[in-house]
Amino acid sequence: MNKFAVLMLVAMVGVQALDLSLLDFGALLQTGSQSNDAVTAVYDLLNDLKTTNIEAQQAADEKNNTDEEIGLRRISALTRVQELNQKAWTNAKAHREVIGQDYRNAEDYINWATQRISEIDRRSVELQELRCFDNGLFIRAIRQYNDAIAVIKLLKQDLSGYLTGQPSSLAEVKVENVADKLKQYSNLFNQNAMNKFVQLATEQASGNAELHAGSEEQFNGSGAPRQAGDNVGQQVYNLLSDIEDQLKATLASLEQHEIASYYQLADWLGDSDSEKLHLQDEIARKTSLLDKLVVQEQAALAVQAKALSVLKDSQNAINAAVADLQEKRDFWLAEFNRRNEENAVIDEVIHIFKQQVLDMAGKTSFGK
């Protein structure tokens, strides 16, 4: 029932009240039963209107409670779906990021391995060139050491003949002359040996030492002068033997070092070749992996995009469910307020109607 209908009802009641006030007592008595029926009908009509509104509101309340319960359950269910979709999107995003990181790692490894191979090649050329250079120095050192040893052997041979009284190119032994012949090789043996020659030459020049041929007894019975004698020739012979031993030992050490250097280079080259083969295999494997990761990333992007779309749809469904429930709440509240207003109007009409009936009854009794 709308306000217009209620106002019309009020107007009708007012008109009836006005008409009743013009009737005389006799007429009212004659039509009393009809008037009572009319009053009762109005009361019943007003009460029916209010009862109808109350019942309608009760039905609306029940429907609102049902709508609220259904709406909240629906929102809860959609929220759980949205949470699952959120998790699916998060997992899809994380999976795509893992693939992207794997791609970058493979790229970084390929770049590093390629650079490493270039470094090995550069270092290999560098070491082989250095090995060639060292080999040239070694060959020159061998020639110098062999020349020095050959000179020492000649000097020892002359001294041996001189000391034993056998034919010799030496008329006398001059330490200074021997030292001069060895001076060009002085860089090959230690300075202490040259200092001894200088000291011996100085003693010879000062007359503190005399030159004497050695006897057989000074040569240990084999003709090989290895024991130090008291004369200058014997001392020179012994110094030359010491230098020869030193040069031979140094030469043997150089040869061992050269051989070891060759082995080291060969080992390094072998290890480097193995490393290069491994790196090349890894580059090929990583390159193949990159091709697969490109396909996987595209698929992962598609899955992530689909998951995002589903997530948005689930959120939109929640928003729609919330909006629908709020719309029903708003409608229930509007109807609730409307019926309350109508009931208030009906209560006012009943009050006015009762007052008019009482007024009419009072006038009738007074007129009687």
Side-chain angles (χ1 to χ4, degrees), residues 308-324:
L308 181 60
S309 176
V310 172
L311 177 61
K312 289 180 178 179
D313 289 344
S314 61
Q315 185 60 54
N316 291 336
I318 292 175
N319 296 338
V322 170
D324 180 66

Side-chain angles (χ1 to χ4, degrees), residues 145 148-149 152 182 185 188-190 192-194 197 236-250:
Y145 275 92
I149 291 172
I152 289 174
L182 294 177
Y185 304 107
L188 303 180
F189 41 85
N190 59 53
N192 184 49
M194 291 304 299
F197 271 108
V236 171
Y237 188 94
N238 292 340
L239 285 174
L240 289 173
S241 295
D242 291 342
I243 293 173
E244 182 182 8
D245 290 342
Q246 175 204 332
L247 292 177
K248 288 180 178 179
T250 303

